[in-house]
Amino acid sequence: WFSALRAMQRSVASRLLSGRVVALRCYRCASSNSMSTLTHIDSRGDVAMVDVSAKRDTKRTAVAGASVYLGPDAFAALSGGTNAKGNVLVTARLAGIMAAKRTSDLIPLCHPVGLSHIAIDLRERPDEHALDIEAS
């Protein structure tokens, strides 16, 4: 999945010049599992769901991040809370929590994951008209 994320970064980076883009940061999941093999590809090369019935529950932490670069007017509306549709940061945090809860619906071949905590951290960078987002 790191290759897919890197490809997405390149695609997004190509739009960075237009000033309306997101720059993604890659993080590794904190887990004891190795990511060296493609577990959802069977011996014929077909996509397959992995049998996890014998797997014990484990505690894992995943962290993902992005930086959203805005124009001066959009950043002023974001940081000043003057957006006509309400507080954008509250909506972004709520959307992130809702997306995390629906991970198995949004990511193909993802098993339902029991979540004990979801944090969405938002940090404004006024000098760059940017918003850093980190989900864990």
Side-chain angles (χ1 to χ4, degrees):
W1 64 274
F2 277 107
S3 328
L5 188 53
R6 293 276 186 220
M8 189 175 8
Q9 279 183 307
R10 284 190 297 276
S11 169
V12 168
S14 70
R15 288 182 269 149
L16 190 59
L17 298 175
S18 68
R20 57 168 209 254
V21 88
V22 176
L24 301 174
R25 295 184 307 275
C26 290
Y27 296 94
R28 287 203 179 267
C29 292
S31 168
S32 60
N33 296 339
S34 169
M35 299 293 283
S36 61
T37 60
L38 296 175
T39 57
H40 288 77
I41 305 295
D42 67 15
S43 59
R44 296 185 314 254
D46 294 329
V47 175
M49 192 71 171
V50 174
D51 180 7
V52 296
S53 59
K55 212 172 177 186
R56 294 181 327 158
D57 287 345
T58 56
K59 183 177 179 177
R60 300 176 186 202
T61 301
V63 180
S67 296
V68 180
Y69 294 88
L70 304 166
D73 294 338
F75 187 82
L78 172 92
S79 60
T82 59
N83 186 296
K85 294 188 177 187
N87 189 323
V88 175
L89 299 179
V90 170
T91 303
R93 183 172 282 115
L94 179 60
I97 292 168
M98 291 173 66
K101 291 172 66 173
R102 294 195 56 223
T103 300
S104 62
D105 293 331
L106 300 171
I107 298 176
L109 301 177
C110 179
H111 290 276
V113 178
L115 301 174
S116 59
H117 179 73
I118 303 166
I120 309 294
D121 297 316
L122 306 167
R123 185 173 56 92
E124 295 179 31
R125 285 190 288 137
D127 296 350
E128 298 179 60
H129 300 121
L131 178 68
D132 292 333
I133 305 164
E134 186 171 281
S136 61

